[in-house]
Amino acid sequence: RKEVEQDPGPFNVPEGATVAFNCTYSNSASQSFFWYRQDCRKEPKLLMSVYSSGNEDGRFTAQLNRASQYISLLIRDSKLSDSATYLCVVVWGGFKTIFGAGTRLFVKA
Amino acid sequence: DGGITQSPKYLFRKEGQNVTLSCEQNLNHDAMYWYRQDPGQGLRLIYYSQIVNDFQKGDIAEGYSVSREKKESFPLTVTSAQKNPTAFYLCASRQNQETQYFGPGTRLLVL
């Protein structure tokens, strides 16, 4: 089992749709969780951190379920500019950072 | 501006040649990382350093070497022992439990 697994994708959605990504992790001692966005041929950039209580940033909502060891990202009212690869990131042991393979999202007009 | 810089943006390697990728950060971060990304794949950890003069192998360290003589610098050498070096190389830095910040990356191509 991979340490961090994501939905395989790609997700093809129309503008305005709501789309959800899930990510599972294997290490119950994981401490920090993040979602990154990566555009084609660019470096990953932080989208949002994920907190136990759940958190929202505009159209984006992230949630963490420690009992089931998964995190999720919900994008509401999808825009064309949301088309990218979304990476799930888990940190444990202070410095050990594991990236998921990413889920590609295509938003079409 | 604070950030991470990588150079060059594109690098061409001849067979049997060692090449060095530069990574510099002025964020005063203790930890620095090197990742490799192949087309359509996730990031794989090559080496990381938690503090000056110390570094650890990641999941795919064979054929690579690093040094950490200064806090702000973490160069990666791709040696001739790395038989399939063509990839997108990303450097990152981080402080404690905070998020990682990435440089713009270097694309390495073999001639």
Side-chain angles (χ1 to χ4, degrees), chain B residues 22-51:
Chain B
S22 168
C23 177
E24 303 279 330
Q25 55 102 357
N26 60 4
L27 300 167
N28 201 34
H29 287 171
D30 285 320
M32 295 187 75
Y33 304 78
W34 273 107
Y35 295 92
R36 167 181 173 141
Q37 188 175 37
D38 293 280
Q41 304 294 316
L43 278 66
R44 291 187 290 168
L45 182 64
I46 304 172
Y47 269 98
Y48 66 100
S49 168
Q50 298 183 22
I51 198 167

PDB file of all heavy atoms in Angstrom, chain B residues 22-51:
ATOM      1  N   SER B  22      21.630  24.030  -9.187  1.00  0.00           N
ATOM      2  CA  SER B  22      21.746  24.962  -8.079  1.00  0.00           C
ATOM      3  C   SER B  22      20.386  25.190  -7.410  1.00  0.00           C
ATOM      4  O   SER B  22      19.352  25.230  -8.078  1.00  0.00           O
ATOM      5  CB  SER B  22      22.292  26.292  -8.591  1.00  0.00           C
ATOM      6  OG  SER B  22      22.162  27.301  -7.618  1.00  0.00           O
ATOM      7  N   CYS B  23      20.418  25.343  -6.083  1.00  0.00           N
ATOM      8  CA  CYS B  23      19.228  25.708  -5.323  1.00  0.00           C
ATOM      9  C   CYS B  23      19.640  26.644  -4.205  1.00  0.00           C
ATOM     10  O   CYS B  23      20.496  26.283  -3.377  1.00  0.00           O
ATOM     11  CB  CYS B  23      18.533  24.479  -4.755  1.00  0.00           C
ATOM     12  SG  CYS B  23      17.091  24.895  -3.735  1.00  0.00           S
ATOM     13  N   GLU B  24      19.048  27.831  -4.182  1.00  0.00           N
ATOM     14  CA  GLU B  24      19.368  28.830  -3.156  1.00  0.00           C
ATOM     15  C   GLU B  24      18.064  29.342  -2.550  1.00  0.00           C
ATOM     16  O   GLU B  24      17.092  29.571  -3.263  1.00  0.00           O
ATOM     17  CB  GLU B  24      20.105  30.015  -3.777  1.00  0.00           C
ATOM     18  CG  GLU B  24      21.380  29.656  -4.523  1.00  0.00           C
ATOM     19  CD  GLU B  24      22.564  29.457  -3.606  1.00  0.00           C
ATOM     20  OE1 GLU B  24      22.609  30.109  -2.542  1.00  0.00           O
ATOM     21  OE2 GLU B  24      23.455  28.650  -3.942  1.00  0.00           O
ATOM     22  N   GLN B  25      18.055  29.529  -1.226  1.00  0.00           N
ATOM     23  CA  GLN B  25      16.874  30.101  -0.574  1.00  0.00           C
ATOM     24  C   GLN B  25      17.289  31.188   0.416  1.00  0.00           C
ATOM     25  O   GLN B  25      18.337  31.076   1.065  1.00  0.00           O
ATOM     26  CB  GLN B  25      16.061  29.002   0.144  1.00  0.00           C
ATOM     27  CG  GLN B  25      16.832  28.164   1.140  1.00  0.00           C
ATOM     28  CD  GLN B  25      16.607  28.516   2.591  1.00  0.00           C
ATOM     29  OE1 GLN B  25      15.889  29.465   2.908  1.00  0.00           O
ATOM     30  NE2 GLN B  25      17.225  27.746   3.479  1.00  0.00           N
ATOM     31  N   ASN B  26      16.476  32.231   0.495  1.00  0.00           N
ATOM     32  CA  ASN B  26      16.741  33.308   1.448  1.00  0.00           C
ATOM     33  C   ASN B  26      15.610  33.424   2.456  1.00  0.00           C
ATOM     34  O   ASN B  26      15.318  34.510   2.960  1.00  0.00           O
ATOM     35  CB  ASN B  26      16.979  34.626   0.725  1.00  0.00           C
ATOM     36  CG  ASN B  26      15.792  35.059  -0.110  1.00  0.00           C
ATOM     37  OD1 ASN B  26      14.748  34.414  -0.100  1.00  0.00           O
ATOM     38  ND2 ASN B  26      15.934  36.145  -0.850  1.00  0.00           N
ATOM     39  N   LEU B  27      14.959  32.290   2.719  1.00  0.00           N
ATOM     40  CA  LEU B  27      13.848  32.243   3.660  1.00  0.00           C
ATOM     41  C   LEU B  27      14.312  31.885   5.073  1.00  0.00           C
ATOM     42  O   LEU B  27      13.494  31.809   5.991  1.00  0.00           O
ATOM     43  CB  LEU B  27      12.825  31.195   3.177  1.00  0.00           C
ATOM     44  CG  LEU B  27      12.216  31.465   1.801  1.00  0.00           C
ATOM     45  CD1 LEU B  27      11.483  30.233   1.275  1.00  0.00           C
ATOM     46  CD2 LEU B  27      11.280  32.661   1.875  1.00  0.00           C
ATOM     47  N   ASN B  28      15.606  31.648   5.212  1.00  0.00           N
ATOM     48  CA  ASN B  28      16.186  31.253   6.504  1.00  0.00           C
ATOM     49  C   ASN B  28      15.605  29.914   7.001  1.00  0.00           C
ATOM     50  O   ASN B  28      15.509  29.689   8.225  1.00  0.00           O
ATOM     51  CB  ASN B  28      15.981  32.337   7.571  1.00  0.00           C
ATOM     52  CG  ASN B  28      16.980  32.202   8.720  1.00  0.00           C
ATOM     53  OD1 ASN B  28      18.128  31.806   8.520  1.00  0.00           O
ATOM     54  ND2 ASN B  28      16.533  32.528   9.926  1.00  0.00           N
ATOM     55  N   HIS B  29      15.243  29.051   6.065  1.00  0.00           N
ATOM     56  CA  HIS B  29      14.704  27.743   6.436  1.00  0.00           C
ATOM     57  C   HIS B  29      15.829  26.773   6.756  1.00  0.00           C
ATOM     58  O   HIS B  29      16.871  26.755   6.092  1.00  0.00           O
ATOM     59  CB  HIS B  29      13.858  27.176   5.295  1.00  0.00           C
ATOM     60  CG  HIS B  29      12.550  27.859   5.142  1.00  0.00           C
ATOM     61  ND1 HIS B  29      11.711  27.619   4.063  1.00  0.00           N
ATOM     62  CD2 HIS B  29      11.907  28.771   5.916  1.00  0.00           C
ATOM     63  CE1 HIS B  29      10.621  28.348   4.194  1.00  0.00           C
ATOM     64  NE2 HIS B  29      10.713  29.058   5.306  1.00  0.00           N
ATOM     65  N   ASP B  30      15.593  25.930   7.754  1.00  0.00           N
ATOM     66  CA  ASP B  30      16.594  24.929   8.106  1.00  0.00           C
ATOM     67  C   ASP B  30      16.593  23.752   7.127  1.00  0.00           C
ATOM     68  O   ASP B  30      17.638  23.233   6.768  1.00  0.00           O
ATOM     69  CB  ASP B  30      16.326  24.381   9.514  1.00  0.00           C
ATOM     70  CG  ASP B  30      16.715  25.381  10.593  1.00  0.00           C
ATOM     71  OD1 ASP B  30      17.766  26.036  10.437  1.00  0.00           O
ATOM     72  OD2 ASP B  30      15.973  25.501  11.580  1.00  0.00           O
ATOM     73  N   ALA B  31      15.427  23.295   6.738  1.00  0.00           N
ATOM     74  CA  ALA B  31      15.322  22.074   5.936  1.00  0.00           C
ATOM     75  C   ALA B  31      15.222  22.386   4.445  1.00  0.00           C
ATOM     76  O   ALA B  31      14.533  23.318   4.037  1.00  0.00           O
ATOM     77  CB  ALA B  31      14.108  21.264   6.365  1.00  0.00           C
ATOM     78  N   MET B  32      15.928  21.583   3.656  1.00  0.00           N
ATOM     79  CA  MET B  32      15.848  21.705   2.208  1.00  0.00           C
ATOM     80  C   MET B  32      15.734  20.320   1.600  1.00  0.00           C
ATOM     81  O   MET B  32      16.206  19.327   2.188  1.00  0.00           O
ATOM     82  CB  MET B  32      17.082  22.441   1.663  1.00  0.00           C
ATOM     83  CG  MET B  32      17.163  23.885   2.144  1.00  0.00           C
ATOM     84  SD  MET B  32      18.488  24.830   1.375  1.00  0.00           S
ATOM     85  CE  MET B  32      17.810  25.111  -0.280  1.00  0.00           C
ATOM     86  N   TYR B  33      15.097  20.262   0.435  1.00  0.00           N
ATOM     87  CA  TYR B  33      14.754  18.979  -0.185  1.00  0.00           C
ATOM     88  C   TYR B  33      15.022  19.029  -1.690  1.00  0.00           C
ATOM     89  O   TYR B  33      14.906  20.094  -2.305  1.00  0.00           O
ATOM     90  CB  TYR B  33      13.257  18.682  -0.015  1.00  0.00           C
ATOM     91  CG  TYR B  33      12.756  18.679   1.401  1.00  0.00           C
ATOM     92  CD1 TYR B  33      12.513  19.867   2.093  1.00  0.00           C
ATOM     93  CD2 TYR B  33      12.472  17.487   2.062  1.00  0.00           C
ATOM     94  CE1 TYR B  33      12.034  19.871   3.387  1.00  0.00           C
ATOM     95  CE2 TYR B  33      11.992  17.474   3.359  1.00  0.00           C
ATOM     96  CZ  TYR B  33      11.774  18.671   4.016  1.00  0.00           C
ATOM     97  OH  TYR B  33      11.296  18.669   5.301  1.00  0.00           O
ATOM     98  N   TRP B  34      15.318  17.871  -2.245  1.00  0.00           N
ATOM     99  CA  TRP B  34      15.363  17.705  -3.704  1.00  0.00           C
ATOM    100  C   TRP B  34      14.400  16.592  -4.094  1.00  0.00           C
ATOM    101  O   TRP B  34      14.435  15.497  -3.516  1.00  0.00           O
ATOM    102  CB  TRP B  34      16.761  17.338  -4.181  1.00  0.00           C
ATOM    103  CG  TRP B  34      17.642  18.509  -4.451  1.00  0.00           C
ATOM    104  CD1 TRP B  34      18.700  18.967  -3.716  1.00  0.00           C
ATOM    105  CD2 TRP B  34      17.555  19.401  -5.575  1.00  0.00           C
ATOM    106  NE1 TRP B  34      19.251  20.074  -4.300  1.00  0.00           N
ATOM    107  CE2 TRP B  34      18.574  20.365  -5.446  1.00  0.00           C
ATOM    108  CE3 TRP B  34      16.708  19.477  -6.691  1.00  0.00           C
ATOM    109  CZ2 TRP B  34      18.786  21.380  -6.366  1.00  0.00           C
ATOM    110  CZ3 TRP B  34      16.908  20.487  -7.602  1.00  0.00           C
ATOM    111  CH2 TRP B  34      17.938  21.428  -7.440  1.00  0.00           C
ATOM    112  N   TYR B  35      13.576  16.908  -5.118  1.00  0.00           N
ATOM    113  CA  TYR B  35      12.637  15.941  -5.650  1.00  0.00           C
ATOM    114  C   TYR B  35      12.865  15.779  -7.144  1.00  0.00           C
ATOM    115  O   TYR B  35      13.323  16.702  -7.826  1.00  0.00           O
ATOM    116  CB  TYR B  35      11.190  16.406  -5.460  1.00  0.00           C
ATOM    117  CG  TYR B  35      10.738  16.504  -4.030  1.00  0.00           C
ATOM    118  CD1 TYR B  35      10.864  17.701  -3.322  1.00  0.00           C
ATOM    119  CD2 TYR B  35      10.156  15.418  -3.382  1.00  0.00           C
ATOM    120  CE1 TYR B  35      10.429  17.802  -2.003  1.00  0.00           C
ATOM    121  CE2 TYR B  35       9.720  15.509  -2.068  1.00  0.00           C
ATOM    122  CZ  TYR B  35       9.861  16.701  -1.393  1.00  0.00           C
ATOM    123  OH  TYR B  35       9.432  16.805  -0.088  1.00  0.00           O
ATOM    124  N   ARG B  36      12.450  14.637  -7.620  1.00  0.00           N
ATOM    125  CA  ARG B  36      12.445  14.380  -9.052  1.00  0.00           C
ATOM    126  C   ARG B  36      11.000  14.094  -9.462  1.00  0.00           C
ATOM    127  O   ARG B  36      10.282  13.367  -8.753  1.00  0.00           O
ATOM    128  CB  ARG B  36      13.327  13.165  -9.347  1.00  0.00           C
ATOM    129  CG  ARG B  36      13.169  12.610 -10.743  1.00  0.00           C
ATOM    130  CD  ARG B  36      14.038  11.398 -10.990  1.00  0.00           C
ATOM    131  NE  ARG B  36      13.707  10.827 -12.291  1.00  0.00           N
ATOM    132  CZ  ARG B  36      14.598  10.330 -13.132  1.00  0.00           C
ATOM    133  NH1 ARG B  36      15.885  10.286 -12.807  1.00  0.00           N
ATOM    134  NH2 ARG B  36      14.218   9.839 -14.289  1.00  0.00           N
ATOM    135  N   GLN B  37      10.596  14.660 -10.604  1.00  0.00           N
ATOM    136  CA  GLN B  37       9.254  14.401 -11.112  1.00  0.00           C
ATOM    137  C   GLN B  37       9.364  13.980 -12.563  1.00  0.00           C
ATOM    138  O   GLN B  37       9.918  14.696 -13.398  1.00  0.00           O
ATOM    139  CB  GLN B  37       8.355  15.636 -10.981  1.00  0.00           C
ATOM    140  CG  GLN B  37       6.895  15.355 -11.324  1.00  0.00           C
ATOM    141  CD  GLN B  37       6.004  16.545 -11.087  1.00  0.00           C
ATOM    142  OE1 GLN B  37       6.388  17.682 -11.322  1.00  0.00           O
ATOM    143  NE2 GLN B  37       4.770  16.294 -10.592  1.00  0.00           N
ATOM    144  N   ASP B  38       8.829  12.816 -12.865  1.00  0.00           N
ATOM    145  CA  ASP B  38       8.772  12.328 -14.246  1.00  0.00           C
ATOM    146  C   ASP B  38       7.389  12.627 -14.814  1.00  0.00           C
ATOM    147  O   ASP B  38       6.422  12.774 -14.054  1.00  0.00           O
ATOM    148  CB  ASP B  38       9.085  10.840 -14.275  1.00  0.00           C
ATOM    149  CG  ASP B  38      10.521  10.561 -13.876  1.00  0.00           C
ATOM    150  OD1 ASP B  38      11.396  10.732 -14.745  1.00  0.00           O
ATOM    151  OD2 ASP B  38      10.795  10.215 -12.708  1.00  0.00           O
ATOM    152  N   PRO B  39       7.270  12.708 -16.135  1.00  0.00           N
ATOM    153  CA  PRO B  39       5.987  13.087 -16.753  1.00  0.00           C
ATOM    154  C   PRO B  39       4.821  12.253 -16.240  1.00  0.00           C
ATOM    155  O   PRO B  39       4.879  11.030 -16.240  1.00  0.00           O
ATOM    156  CB  PRO B  39       6.244  12.846 -18.247  1.00  0.00           C
ATOM    157  CG  PRO B  39       7.711  13.024 -18.406  1.00  0.00           C
ATOM    158  CD  PRO B  39       8.325  12.482 -17.144  1.00  0.00           C
ATOM    159  N   GLY B  40       3.779  12.936 -15.796  1.00  0.00           N
ATOM    160  CA  GLY B  40       2.586  12.253 -15.327  1.00  0.00           C
ATOM    161  C   GLY B  40       2.743  11.551 -13.996  1.00  0.00           C
ATOM    162  O   GLY B  40       1.860  10.797 -13.579  1.00  0.00           O
ATOM    163  N   GLN B  41       3.867  11.790 -13.314  1.00  0.00           N
ATOM    164  CA  GLN B  41       4.126  11.118 -12.043  1.00  0.00           C
ATOM    165  C   GLN B  41       4.160  12.107 -10.886  1.00  0.00           C
ATOM    166  O   GLN B  41       4.250  13.315 -11.082  1.00  0.00           O
ATOM    167  CB  GLN B  41       5.481  10.403 -12.122  1.00  0.00           C
ATOM    168  CG  GLN B  41       5.612   9.422 -13.265  1.00  0.00           C
ATOM    169  CD  GLN B  41       4.690   8.245 -13.115  1.00  0.00           C
ATOM    170  OE1 GLN B  41       4.562   7.678 -12.035  1.00  0.00           O
ATOM    171  NE2 GLN B  41       4.015   7.869 -14.199  1.00  0.00           N
ATOM    172  N   GLY B  42       4.120  11.564  -9.674  1.00  0.00           N
ATOM    173  CA  GLY B  42       4.252  12.395  -8.495  1.00  0.00           C
ATOM    174  C   GLY B  42       5.707  12.736  -8.215  1.00  0.00           C
ATOM    175  O   GLY B  42       6.608  12.376  -8.966  1.00  0.00           O
ATOM    176  N   LEU B  43       5.929  13.418  -7.102  1.00  0.00           N
ATOM    177  CA  LEU B  43       7.279  13.804  -6.700  1.00  0.00           C
ATOM    178  C   LEU B  43       7.937  12.674  -5.916  1.00  0.00           C
ATOM    179  O   LEU B  43       7.325  12.078  -5.028  1.00  0.00           O
ATOM    180  CB  LEU B  43       7.233  15.046  -5.811  1.00  0.00           C
ATOM    181  CG  LEU B  43       7.127  16.404  -6.499  1.00  0.00           C
ATOM    182  CD1 LEU B  43       5.799  16.567  -7.208  1.00  0.00           C
ATOM    183  CD2 LEU B  43       7.323  17.509  -5.476  1.00  0.00           C
ATOM    184  N   ARG B  44       9.185  12.411  -6.246  1.00  0.00           N
ATOM    185  CA  ARG B  44       9.952  11.397  -5.506  1.00  0.00           C
ATOM    186  C   ARG B  44      11.157  12.068  -4.851  1.00  0.00           C
ATOM    187  O   ARG B  44      11.884  12.811  -5.510  1.00  0.00           O
ATOM    188  CB  ARG B  44      10.389  10.277  -6.433  1.00  0.00           C
ATOM    189  CG  ARG B  44       9.226   9.415  -6.934  1.00  0.00           C
ATOM    190  CD  ARG B  44       9.712   8.218  -7.709  1.00  0.00           C
ATOM    191  NE  ARG B  44      10.279   8.594  -9.002  1.00  0.00           N
ATOM    192  CZ  ARG B  44      10.983   7.780  -9.778  1.00  0.00           C
ATOM    193  NH1 ARG B  44      11.222   6.543  -9.390  1.00  0.00           N
ATOM    194  NH2 ARG B  44      11.448   8.201 -10.933  1.00  0.00           N
ATOM    195  N   LEU B  45      11.368  11.769  -3.591  1.00  0.00           N
ATOM    196  CA  LEU B  45      12.411  12.423  -2.803  1.00  0.00           C
ATOM    197  C   LEU B  45      13.781  11.836  -3.110  1.00  0.00           C
ATOM    198  O   LEU B  45      13.988  10.625  -3.012  1.00  0.00           O
ATOM    199  CB  LEU B  45      12.099  12.276  -1.313  1.00  0.00           C
ATOM    200  CG  LEU B  45      13.063  12.944  -0.335  1.00  0.00           C
ATOM    201  CD1 LEU B  45      13.035  14.465  -0.520  1.00  0.00           C
ATOM    202  CD2 LEU B  45      12.706  12.575   1.085  1.00  0.00           C
ATOM    203  N   ILE B  46      14.728  12.717  -3.451  1.00  0.00           N
ATOM    204  CA  ILE B  46      16.095  12.275  -3.751  1.00  0.00           C
ATOM    205  C   ILE B  46      16.971  12.387  -2.501  1.00  0.00           C
ATOM    206  O   ILE B  46      17.567  11.406  -2.050  1.00  0.00           O
ATOM    207  CB  ILE B  46      16.701  13.127  -4.885  1.00  0.00           C
ATOM    208  CG1 ILE B  46      15.820  13.093  -6.130  1.00  0.00           C
ATOM    209  CG2 ILE B  46      18.107  12.611  -5.225  1.00  0.00           C
ATOM    210  CD1 ILE B  46      16.265  14.058  -7.219  1.00  0.00           C
ATOM    211  N   TYR B  47      17.067  13.574  -1.961  1.00  0.00           N
ATOM    212  CA  TYR B  47      17.841  13.848  -0.755  1.00  0.00           C
ATOM    213  C   TYR B  47      17.144  14.943   0.032  1.00  0.00           C
ATOM    214  O   TYR B  47      16.413  15.749  -0.532  1.00  0.00           O
ATOM    215  CB  TYR B  47      19.258  14.350  -1.097  1.00  0.00           C
ATOM    216  CG  TYR B  47      20.325  13.305  -1.215  1.00  0.00           C
ATOM    217  CD1 TYR B  47      20.704  12.808  -2.462  1.00  0.00           C
ATOM    218  CD2 TYR B  47      20.990  12.831  -0.085  1.00  0.00           C
ATOM    219  CE1 TYR B  47      21.700  11.839  -2.574  1.00  0.00           C
ATOM    220  CE2 TYR B  47      21.990  11.863  -0.197  1.00  0.00           C
ATOM    221  CZ  TYR B  47      22.341  11.380  -1.438  1.00  0.00           C
ATOM    222  OH  TYR B  47      23.329  10.431  -1.557  1.00  0.00           O
ATOM    223  N   TYR B  48      17.405  14.980   1.334  1.00  0.00           N
ATOM    224  CA  TYR B  48      16.953  16.101   2.126  1.00  0.00           C
ATOM    225  C   TYR B  48      17.977  16.421   3.198  1.00  0.00           C
ATOM    226  O   TYR B  48      18.803  15.585   3.563  1.00  0.00           O
ATOM    227  CB  TYR B  48      15.558  15.858   2.738  1.00  0.00           C
ATOM    228  CG  TYR B  48      15.487  14.762   3.775  1.00  0.00           C
ATOM    229  CD1 TYR B  48      15.487  15.049   5.131  1.00  0.00           C
ATOM    230  CD2 TYR B  48      15.381  13.427   3.383  1.00  0.00           C
ATOM    231  CE1 TYR B  48      15.390  14.045   6.078  1.00  0.00           C
ATOM    232  CE2 TYR B  48      15.283  12.413   4.318  1.00  0.00           C
ATOM    233  CZ  TYR B  48      15.284  12.728   5.668  1.00  0.00           C
ATOM    234  OH  TYR B  48      15.186  11.718   6.600  1.00  0.00           O
ATOM    235  N   SER B  49      17.903  17.662   3.663  1.00  0.00           N
ATOM    236  CA  SER B  49      18.841  18.135   4.674  1.00  0.00           C
ATOM    237  C   SER B  49      18.056  18.906   5.722  1.00  0.00           C
ATOM    238  O   SER B  49      17.314  19.822   5.406  1.00  0.00           O
ATOM    239  CB  SER B  49      19.886  19.046   4.028  1.00  0.00           C
ATOM    240  OG  SER B  49      20.633  19.727   5.012  1.00  0.00           O
ATOM    241  N   GLN B  50      18.239  18.520   6.960  1.00  0.00           N
ATOM    242  CA  GLN B  50      17.526  19.193   8.049  1.00  0.00           C
ATOM    243  C   GLN B  50      18.336  20.335   8.634  1.00  0.00           C
ATOM    244  O   GLN B  50      17.788  21.215   9.305  1.00  0.00           O
ATOM    245  CB  GLN B  50      17.179  18.189   9.138  1.00  0.00           C
ATOM    246  CG  GLN B  50      16.257  17.079   8.668  1.00  0.00           C
ATOM    247  CD  GLN B  50      15.865  16.141   9.790  1.00  0.00           C
ATOM    248  OE1 GLN B  50      15.923  16.494  10.952  1.00  0.00           O
ATOM    249  NE2 GLN B  50      15.448  14.945   9.447  1.00  0.00           N
ATOM    250  N   ILE B  51      19.657  20.299   8.380  1.00  0.00           N
ATOM    251  CA  ILE B  51      20.509  21.308   8.988  1.00  0.00           C
ATOM    252  C   ILE B  51      21.821  21.361   8.224  1.00  0.00           C
ATOM    253  O   ILE B  51      22.173  20.400   7.512  1.00  0.00           O
ATOM    254  CB  ILE B  51      20.748  20.971  10.483  1.00  0.00           C
ATOM    255  CG1 ILE B  51      21.242  22.178  11.258  1.00  0.00           C
ATOM    256  CG2 ILE B  51      21.656  19.774  10.617  1.00  0.00           C
ATOM    257  CD1 ILE B  51      21.191  21.976  12.753  1.00  0.00           C
TER     258      ILE B  51
END
